[in-house]
């Protein structure tokens, strides 16, 4: 009986292991079309209005915070004397909050003496409707600089500018802190920005047979794209996120177009569609002049940007200097909520034309480039249209299946060994029993167990 119980227990354990493998993966999506998807691994942190009370941020981490109208918040960094550091802030106003021209945030990194290492801002301009916008600041190690070069305590300062006529509610913040890898050959690295680059837009890409790609609701779940023409649908008030791998020496070209609407009466909506490009550190690169919409097909393109190069950082222009490293470049496309009034709240067809041109060059870094590089896995995700979140779930499920398979093989091997041992024991016990008496007498022990 004990042996039979063990068999049943082993079989039940194996069945339970495979039942776990059969469980479906949990889907991750925004709650509504206008909801921003925050990184679920983001750690909650409160900014401090007094720098001495600031909470420390660690490299490679994502954080959730918030900021009030007119507030200035500090976060702490502990930096060495050789690593370039980048901290980005994505600000997410509430849907019901009103924004005006000039509202936004400024992000800066400062040393313990309040000397500013760098500063960038993200502002609402002519497209005056709530949507996620991003800015970053950096501490760069440069022998020609006299400030912000030593090891020690630094501070990230996030400042919010809000007009009195704008919404005064809290804005959500998503903070990211990344460290740039060490250069492989620092002494021979270029120290001047390029003077020119190819500026002619390439021919329009060919649409794939299955070219539908639905954008994500944040940087975390941005849909991966490669060169090509892609179709989506966007609702008034919605922002969609995409990401494109751009390697060293490559250029990115992007065009967004809205289709005609079958609703409304060709009413004019100014600044209807906004498109923005951010680099792998979630630093703002460039945006298009917001496109107006009158119910007819229309499109807008990013201005030609230089190929990705380390030396771009030495350019005085923000959009050129932001093209300083390889990796995922993020496109966000927003449709004004004002479009709903003349054309209804149903989604409008959106077309994205993406061109990545140029031969990939070698990385200037030593060791693992992390987010500042393009891997074969990145290219595969772009080809398959996977987001980073989907790829992570696929990898997790693959690891689980491998674990389940190993556990199943192990449990099966143990079960086979047990059964073999039982057979051997049974045979030995049978051989050791006295011979059955002749003449139909009863076996002195009542015969072998019936289960044999």
């Amino acid at each position: 009986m004990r042996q039979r119980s063990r068999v049943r227990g082993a079989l039940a354990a194996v069945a339970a292991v495979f039942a776990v493998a059969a469980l479906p993966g949990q889907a991750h999506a925004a709650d509504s079309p206008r909801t921003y998807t925050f990184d679920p691994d983001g750690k909650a942190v409160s900014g401090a209005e007094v720098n001495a009370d600031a909470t420390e941020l660690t490299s490679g981490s994502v954080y959730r915070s918030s900021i009030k109208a007119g507030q200035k918040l500090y976060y702490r960094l502990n930096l060495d004397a050789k690593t370039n550091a980048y901290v980005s802030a994505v600000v997410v106003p509430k849907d019901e909050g009103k924004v005006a021209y000039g509202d936004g945030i400024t992000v800066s990194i400062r040393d313990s003496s309040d000397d500013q290492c760098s500063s960038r801002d993200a502002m609402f301009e002519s497209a005056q409707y709530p949507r996620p916008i991003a800015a970053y600041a950096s501490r760069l190690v440069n022998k020609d600089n006299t400030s912000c070069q030593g090891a020690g305590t630094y501070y990230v300062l996030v400042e919010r500018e809000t007009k009195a006529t704008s919404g005064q509610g809290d804005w959500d913040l998503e903070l990211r802190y990344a460290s740039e890898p060490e250069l492989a050959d620092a002494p021979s690295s270029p120290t001047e920005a390029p003077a020119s680059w190819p500026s002619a837009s390439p021919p329009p890409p060919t649409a794939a047979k299955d070219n539908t790609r639905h954008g994500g609701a944040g940087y975390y779940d941005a849909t991966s794209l490669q060169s090509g023409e892609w179709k989506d649908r966007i609702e008034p008030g919605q922002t969609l996120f995409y990401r494109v791998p751009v390697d060293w020496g490559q250029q990115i070209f992007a065009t967004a177009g809205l289709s005609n609407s079958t609703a409304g009466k060709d009413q004019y909506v100014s600044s209807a569609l906004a498109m923005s490009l951010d680099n792998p550190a979630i630093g703002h690169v460039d945006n298009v002049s917001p496109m107006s919409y009158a119910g007819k097909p229309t499109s807008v393109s990013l201005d030609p940007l230089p190929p990705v190069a380390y030396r771009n950082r030495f350019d005085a222009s923000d959009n050129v200097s932001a093209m300083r490293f390889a990796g995922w470049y993020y496109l966000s496309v927003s449709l004004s909520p004002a479009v709903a009034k003349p054309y209804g709240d149903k989604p409008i067809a959106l077309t994205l034309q993406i061109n990545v041109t140029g031969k990939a060059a070698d990385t200037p870094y030593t060791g693992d480039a992390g987010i500042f590089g393009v891997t074969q896995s990145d290219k595969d995700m772009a080809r398959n249209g996977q987001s980073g979140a989907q790829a992570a779930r696929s990898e997790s499920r693959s690891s689980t299946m491998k674990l389940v398979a190993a556990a199943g093989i192990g449990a099966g091997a143990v079960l086979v060994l047990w059964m073999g041992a039982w057979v051997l024991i049974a045979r030995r016990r049978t051989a050791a029993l006295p011979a059955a008496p002749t003449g139909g007498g009863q076996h002195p022990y009542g015969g072998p167990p019936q289960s044999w």
Side-chain angles (χ1 to χ4, degrees):
M1 291 296 293
R2 286 195 298 271
Q3 290 169 342
R4 285 199 297 270
S5 296
R6 289 170 183 165
V7 172
R8 295 191 188 101
L11 291 174
V14 174
V17 167
F18 283 97
V20 170
L23 291 175
Q26 182 180 1
H28 181 89
D31 296 333
S32 73
R34 300 185 185 184
T35 300
Y36 179 84
T37 299
F38 290 91
D39 190 322
D41 294 329
K43 307 170 187 176
V45 61
S46 296
E49 294 187 327
V50 177
N51 70 331
D53 299 331
T55 301
E56 181 184 351
L57 308 182
T58 58
S59 182
S61 298
V62 181
Y63 298 88
R64 283 283 305 273
S65 192
S66 64
I67 188 167
K68 300 179 183 298
Q71 197 171 31
K72 298 180 180 182
L73 296 178
Y74 287 93
Y75 306 87
R76 176 182 174 131
L77 304 175
N78 288 324
L79 304 180
D80 60 26
K82 62 180 183 179
T83 304
N84 294 333
Y86 298 86
V87 178
S88 68
V90 181
V91 59
V92 186
K94 307 297 184 182
D95 287 344
E96 65 275 10
K98 179 183 177 182
V99 297
Y101 191 99
D103 287 353
I105 57 168
T106 300
V107 183
S108 61
I109 293 180
R110 300 163 180 269
D111 65 14
S112 57
S113 298
D114 203 40
D115 289 332
Q116 183 174 283
C117 307
S118 77
S119 176
R120 293 287 187 275
D121 58 37
M123 298 292 175
F124 294 99
E125 297 177 345
S126 57
Q128 299 175 35
Y129 43 88
R131 63 189 187 278
I133 55 176
Y136 76 159
S138 60
R139 191 293 297 263
L140 303 181
V141 178
N142 188 333
K143 63 181 181 180
D144 295 329
N145 291 344
T146 56
S147 62
C148 299
Q149 297 301 295
T153 300
Y154 290 77
Y155 297 96
V156 178
L157 178 62
V158 181
E159 305 172 74
R160 173 178 166 183
E161 174 69 27
T162 301
K163 302 288 191 300
T165 54
S166 300
Q168 302 298 304
D170 291 2
W171 288 354
D172 289 324
L173 284 175
E174 187 172 50
L175 304 170
R176 286 176 173 81
Y177 170 21
S179 296
E180 191 172 9
E182 184 179 354
L183 284 174
D185 191 10
S188 62
S189 298
T191 57
E192 294 182 0
S196 62
W197 55 84
S199 59
S201 297
T206 303
K209 184 176 180 181
D210 179 16
N211 68 333
T212 299
R213 295 283 188 270
H214 188 60
Y219 294 92
Y220 169 74
D221 64 352
T223 299
S224 304
L225 301 177
Q226 62 178 2
S227 291
E229 181 179 301
W230 307 103
K231 293 191 302 184
D232 202 347
R233 299 181 71 82
I234 187 169
E235 297 182 17
Q238 187 176 29
T239 297
L240 297 175
F241 289 81
Y242 310 88
R243 62 178 194 168
V244 182
V246 186
D247 215 334
W248 298 100
Q250 294 185 324
Q251 283 180 281
I252 180 173
F253 298 84
T255 298
L258 282 180
S259 71
N260 62 294
S261 174
T262 57
K265 297 181 179 179
D266 298 341
Q267 296 186 38
Y268 179 86
V269 180
S270 64
S271 303
L273 189 76
M275 182 169 68
S276 181
L277 179 69
D278 298 302
N279 67 24
I282 318 298
H284 182 64
V285 178
D286 202 8
N287 53 264
V288 300
S289 178
M291 179 183 72
S292 300
Y293 186 63
K296 300 176 182 178
T298 186
S299 65
V300 66
S301 302
L302 289 171
D303 290 334
L305 294 162
V308 171
Y310 183 87
R311 62 178 184 160
N312 287 338
R313 67 191 59 210
F314 302 110
D315 196 279
S317 174
D318 289 347
N319 62 341
V320 174
S321 68
M323 301 294 295
R324 64 178 61 192
F325 23 55
W328 289 107
Y329 278 76
Y330 295 85
L331 281 167
S332 59
V333 181
S334 302
L335 185 62
S336 171
V339 171
K341 186 174 181 179
Y343 298 105
D345 56 6
K346 292 184 178 180
I348 299 175
L350 171 71
T351 301
L352 288 173
Q353 293 181 338
I354 305 297
N355 261 310
V356 177
T357 64
K359 184 179 179 180
D362 293 335
T363 176
Y365 303 131
T366 180
D368 183 9
I371 65 170
F372 302 118
V374 174
T375 65
Q376 185 58 50
S377 176
D378 296 335
K379 297 175 185 177
D380 293 340
M381 281 190 281
R383 185 179 63 255
N384 297 326
Q386 280 186 308
S387 69
Q390 289 172 327
R393 289 198 298 273
S394 297
E395 185 177 347
S396 176
R397 282 196 293 269
S398 176
S399 299
T400 300
M401 290 303 296
K402 289 178 182 177
L403 180 62
V404 166
I409 292 171
V414 170
L415 185 58
V416 170
L417 289 174
W418 281 353
M419 294 180 69
W422 294 336
V423 171
L424 181 60
I425 292 171
R427 288 176 177 173
R428 288 181 176 177
R429 290 182 63 179
T430 301
L433 290 174
T438 59
Q442 296 294 320
H443 194 285
Y445 299 104
Q450 294 302 310
S451 60
W452 293 3

